[in-house]
Amino acid sequence: MFINITTSETGDNKGSSGALVNYLEKENQMQTEKGKGLELENWFNGTGNEIRRQEVRMKIDGNIAKLGRSDSKFFLINISPSQKELAHLYEKYGREGTKDKLKEFAVKVMDEYAKNFKRPGINSHKDLLWYGKHENYRYYKHTDKEVKDGTRQKGERKEGRQDHIQIIVSRKDITNRIKLSPQNTSKGKNKEHSAKLGEFNRTAFKQSGEKLFDDLFDFNRGLKDTLAYANTMQNGTVAQKKQMKLLENIHNLKADQTIINDLGKSVAEGLFESVGEMISTTGKIGAGLLSLLTEPVYIIPEDNTAEPKRRKKKKKKGMDQSQGIQR
């Protein structure tokens, strides 16, 4: 699950939202130009599913009380399920059903967005001014590798299922009184600043969306498909990566995948200083991890019949048996 917050696809969120709204109407525009006569996709926000773009622009642009010329006026939230997640939805609900379910999911994601600010009176999507748009396709951009190497052209439709949701959310709450910015990533460290402007933990927000998807659609997420795994393998310490790789290799233990994923989240948060500490704090799962670590390492003997015998080096005592785990 890819959930990202940006300033705007058009590169500017300090003025009118008109350019972004028009950009997100591209599929409707393409259908009209090609004369396909397909049903146009309108906007939704948890209270309605047939909202026109004129309303979106007017409401977002009018909700900017006490914001300066250089202040952000709105933000863009991109909710993009993976190919595995989309395959799961298509199998359960079909194409049209998947579109409806993704809209329901987006409403719940905006509930989590609101709660993440930890501001009094901001408790759900109803306290926000926001509009979502379902899109069926993605298109190659000039920055994509395939366009750069000439295998694809800019504007060409990408392969596979590409359903995703784009959301415009106002910087101000629905009453036009409270400033809410996901750019404030203090995470509560500066209490005075957080009390005035709120706080926002982007990682926690993205992980809440991941958990929501799994719970709502009964999706069995593997460890390698979690945000915790991706973040750790890209930005984690050597110790964290070693812990995560160990969890990845527990395919032969009858362990609840949810428990393994929770352990992965703890690893990503840096709660364990070493593999040993992780094992000692995980109960029955820890016993299984310990048995995995202490399994004998089997090395396939080399066929040296055609070569003169060479003296084999003796293994040093105390060799770290965890080296036997594939990395």
Side-chain angles (χ1 to χ4, degrees):
M1 173 63 63
F2 179 80
I3 299 179
N4 192 36
I5 304 173
T6 61
T7 54
S8 169
E9 283 278 357
T10 57
D12 182 20
N13 70 337
K14 295 176 174 57
S16 171
S17 64
L20 178 58
V21 172
N22 289 335
Y23 173 80
L24 296 178
E25 285 283 323
K26 56 185 178 296
E27 287 189 3
N28 287 343
Q29 184 65 31
M30 290 174 69
Q31 290 175 14
T32 302
E33 289 175 354
K34 293 180 179 180
K36 291 186 176 181
L38 298 177
E39 183 179 353
L40 300 181
E41 183 69 43
N42 285 318
W43 297 72
F44 68 95
N45 66 354
T47 58
N49 289 316
E50 297 298 330
I51 302 170
R52 298 300 179 91
R53 64 177 176 179
Q54 292 85 353
E55 177 182 338
V56 176
R57 181 186 61 77
M58 289 177 60
K59 289 292 181 67
I60 294 291
D61 288 356
N63 204 58
I64 58 173
K66 296 183 179 180
L67 291 178
R69 181 178 298 179
S70 61
D71 290 331
S72 296
K73 309 300 190 301
F74 55 87
F75 299 96
L76 178 67
I77 301 176
N78 183 338
I79 303 175
S80 296
S82 68
Q83 290 294 304
K84 286 183 182 179
E85 290 164 338
L86 286 174
H88 179 76
L89 293 179
Y90 269 68
E91 184 177 351
K92 290 190 71 171
Y93 307 110
R95 182 181 179 86
E96 286 301 311
T98 292
K99 180 169 71 173
D100 294 336
K101 290 298 180 182
L102 282 177
K103 289 181 179 180
E104 293 177 17
F105 174 64
V107 173
K108 295 183 181 298
V109 168
M110 294 310 292
D111 285 336
E112 295 300 320
Y113 179 86
K115 294 174 186 175
N116 202 284
F117 286 104
K118 296 180 175 60
R119 294 291 300 274
I122 308 299
N123 304 307
S124 75
H125 75 273
K126 295 179 181 179
D127 300 311
L128 308 170
L129 180 65
W130 68 279
Y131 297 93
K133 186 85 158 46
H134 172 271
E135 293 191 318
N136 296 284
Y137 310 110
R138 284 193 177 281
Y139 306 87
Y140 285 102
K141 301 178 181 179
H142 69 280
T143 54
D144 289 325
K145 176 180 177 297
E146 293 84 353
V147 175
K148 290 180 178 179
D149 63 24
T151 58
R152 291 290 185 270
Q153 293 184 350
K154 178 183 174 182
E156 188 177 345
R157 186 185 297 175
K158 291 188 176 182
E159 301 83 358
R161 299 183 177 108
Q162 298 291 344
D163 298 70
H164 60 284
I165 301 288
Q166 301 273 28
I167 293 173
I168 302 177
V169 57
S170 174
R171 166 77 177 273
K172 302 294 291 291
D173 77 319
I174 199 164
T175 68
N176 203 8
R177 294 198 299 266
I178 302 174
K179 293 181 181 180
L180 300 168
S181 174
Q183 292 177 321
N184 177 22
T185 57
S186 67
K187 302 180 183 179
K189 293 179 181 179
N190 186 330
K191 292 184 179 180
E192 184 178 347
H193 183 71
S194 296
K196 184 179 180 181
L197 297 177
E199 59 186 77
F200 199 88
N201 187 326
R202 290 198 178 209
T203 300
F205 170 58
K206 293 176 182 181
Q207 286 180 329
S208 68
E210 189 175 274
K211 186 177 187 305
L212 266 175
F213 186 93
D214 298 349
D215 293 343
L216 189 62
F217 303 121
D218 194 26
F219 182 70
N220 186 22
R221 184 179 303 278
L223 178 67
K224 293 185 70 173
D225 295 322
T226 63
L227 176 66
Y229 180 90
N231 282 349
T232 299
M233 301 315 291
Q234 182 174 355
N235 304 311
T237 65
V238 173
Q240 286 175 308
K241 291 178 181 179
K242 186 174 182 180
Q243 294 162 27
M244 195 66 81
K245 292 299 287 185
L246 177 60
L247 291 177
E248 183 185 339
N249 281 280
I250 314 176
H251 56 82
N252 60 330
L253 294 179
K254 295 180 179 179
D256 188 329
Q257 188 63 50
T258 302
I259 296 176
I260 297 299
N261 290 352
D262 286 343
L263 280 173
K265 183 179 177 182
S266 296
V267 168
E269 293 172 352
L271 298 185
F272 310 121
E273 292 186 2
S274 65
V275 169
E277 184 178 342
M278 179 178 70
I279 293 171
S280 66
T281 58
T282 52
K284 293 181 179 179
I285 297 297
L289 290 172
L290 183 60
S291 68
L292 181 66
L293 276 175
T294 56
E295 285 180 357
V297 179
Y298 177 72
I299 302 176
I300 301 175
E302 295 181 4
D303 183 5
N304 295 324
T305 54
E307 298 180 7
K309 291 185 178 180
R310 299 177 181 175
R311 290 182 62 186
K312 293 182 179 178
K313 292 183 180 180
K314 293 183 179 180
K315 290 183 180 178
K316 293 180 181 180
K317 290 184 179 180
M319 176 183 177
D320 184 1
Q321 289 176 316
S322 65
Q323 292 176 355
I325 300 174
Q326 293 181 352
R327 303 183 71 83

